[in-house]
Amino acid sequence: MTATTRVSRPLVLAGGALLLLALALVALMLVRPSAAPATTASASAPAETSADVGFARDMAVHHQQAVEMSFIVRDRTTDVAVRRLAFDIINTQANQRGMMLGWLEMWGRAKSSPGPPMEWMGHTVTPRGDGALMPGMATDAELDALRAAKGKDAEVRFLRLMTAHHLAGADMAQAAATAAGTAEIRNLASGMVLGQRSETALMADMLKERGATA
């Protein structure tokens, strides 16, 4: 091995290290400008006071309770039809809730608002302190009664609570389908109206089969 070979190897290694460092710095410069805080709204995001943002926030809360009630009744009855309906509501509304929260995140909007619910609809709701934050939502006492019920009693309680929940939810969704500025919210809300009204009719039949009404 010659002296030239022994000297050139460290120089090659040093040159390679410098090249890697330079590439890393370039990559860092390319990544950093695109990074923005999640709370920073993009220029194309719906306004804070828009129907899009207000509906996504309020309906996410509304849906969460529907999912909760469905889980409750699922464990308190063996009736196949009621359990199937509960399963459908859990999957549909949990998925829709995830979509709405995802859009809020993408828009750089907070997932909750310090203001009262439903301001985006032109009127506000003052929570009564009983757990029912918006029209159609069950109270804490009604949820406790559902948890304590079993069999047919649990089925009827669930169907009545969910009927009221769906009717109010469909009204909210109809308002969003008309007032929202984004196609995402308009399309989702329109689908909710059809889906919840269809399930409301189904629940009316299920209540009748159990000798009850909404």
Side-chain angles (χ1 to χ4, degrees):
M1 182 180 294
T2 65
T4 301
T5 302
R6 288 195 298 271
V7 172
S8 61
R9 183 175 296 171
L11 291 176
V12 170
L13 293 174
L18 288 173
L19 178 60
L20 290 174
L21 179 60
L23 290 174
L25 290 173
V26 170
L28 182 61
M29 292 174 64
L30 291 174
V31 171
R32 288 183 64 185
S34 64
T39 55
T40 300
S42 65
S44 60
E48 175 68 19
T49 57
S50 66
D52 306 74
V53 172
F55 173 76
R57 286 171 175 163
D58 287 348
M59 190 57 82
V61 174
H62 215 263
H63 271 19
Q64 179 59 34
Q65 191 186 71
V67 171
E68 179 185 2
M69 289 194 294
S70 298
F71 271 119
I72 293 172
V73 77
R74 184 200 62 175
D75 298 332
R76 281 153 181 79
T77 180
T78 58
D79 185 87
V80 174
V82 173
R83 287 173 63 88
R84 184 186 299 117
L85 174 62
F87 180 82
D88 289 344
I89 292 172
I90 289 168
N91 282 275
T92 299
Q93 298 208 12
N95 180 57
Q96 292 174 344
R97 184 173 185 272
M99 291 169 64
M100 291 182 286
L101 294 177
W103 287 328
L104 289 170
E105 180 75 20
M106 182 178 65
W107 295 334
R109 301 298 180 189
K111 295 180 178 64
S112 60
S113 172
M118 302 178 75
E119 281 186 309
W120 60 274
M121 289 182 67
H123 64 272
T124 59
V125 175
T126 302
R128 301 177 307 225
D130 58 3
L133 301 178
M134 283 172 274
M137 292 187 69
T139 66
D140 292 335
E142 288 170 331
L143 290 178
D144 288 341
L146 178 60
R147 292 187 185 97
K150 292 182 181 180
K152 181 180 174 181
D153 183 27
E155 295 163 17
V156 170
R157 287 179 183 276
F158 169 75
L159 292 169
R160 283 173 170 166
L161 291 174
M162 194 58 73
T163 295
H165 208 275
H166 271 20
L167 289 173
D171 287 345
M172 192 191 306
Q174 184 63 65
T178 302
T182 63
E184 294 91 339
I185 292 294
R186 288 197 303 271
N187 293 338
L188 179 64
S190 297
M192 285 181 189
V193 173
L194 295 176
Q196 296 197 19
R197 286 179 177 170
S198 175
E199 286 184 345
T200 297
L202 171 63
M203 290 188 289
D205 291 338
M206 294 173 73
L207 281 167
K208 188 180 298 183
E209 292 169 358
R210 290 159 178 79
T213 61

